[in-house]
Amino acid sequence: MNLDHVTIRTRDVQATRTFFLTVFGLKEGERPLAIRRIPGHWLYSEGRPLIHLIGSQGYGVGRPAEAIDHVGLRLEGYAGFRQKLDQLGIRYSTMDLADLQERRLFFHAPGGPLLEAVFSEPVPQNN
């Protein structure tokens, strides 16, 4: 398992973008078509999107505007991991990104933090 990315919610997407580009020398890169409707940026390190920024208004209880939204972990074996979540009774949602040939599972740890499991696997044609 490797850290895939960290997603940060912020009211000031542009200032946060500039901060990460300037301080860490990251480069802005492409985002998948499926998520381009969400305001934000993907910032790359060594050719991989390490920091995902998304705009936030901070609405609702437990949804502050400035926060780490979720942590993405890169794993192998999508079907087996999904089966494990099913066996453990852990609810999850799926996202297939055909343009990246990645499959993703989103689920919560017991205390509430959102986790994203990222798998580099072919996306079935029927999705």
Side-chain angles (χ1 to χ4, degrees), residues 5-118:
H5 69 275
V6 174
T7 298
I8 299 171
R9 280 187 283 123
T10 179
R11 284 188 182 141
D12 195 341
V13 175
Q14 292 309 316
T16 305
R17 173 188 166 274
T18 299
F19 173 84
F20 278 98
L21 294 176
T22 303
V23 173
F24 296 103
L26 302 176
K27 306 289 183 205
E28 183 153 8
E30 290 294 314
R31 296 170 68 214
L33 292 172
I35 64 168
R36 288 189 188 160
R37 63 182 168 31
I38 302 167
H41 302 276
W42 276 18
L43 307 179
Y44 285 64
S45 173
E46 299 177 9
R48 297 202 48 155
L50 182 62
I51 305 291
H52 298 182
L53 302 176
I54 56 175
S56 174
Q57 301 300 317
Y59 298 126
V61 175
R63 298 286 295 177
E66 307 300 322
I68 293 177
D69 184 78
H70 68 270
V71 175
L73 302 166
R74 185 161 292 274
L75 302 170
E76 294 182 10
Y78 175 84
F81 191 79
R82 189 169 174 176
Q83 181 179 21
K84 183 177 189 176
L85 293 177
D86 288 336
Q87 289 171 343
L88 293 170
I90 297 173
R91 294 176 42 196
Y92 58 87
S93 62
T94 64
M95 177 187 285
D96 288 343
L97 299 175
D99 47 336
L100 298 179
Q101 286 301 293
E102 288 183 346
R103 306 192 79 189
R104 295 166 183 236
L105 300 171
F106 293 87
F107 55 98
H108 290 275
L114 181 61
L115 302 175
E116 177 181 356
V118 180

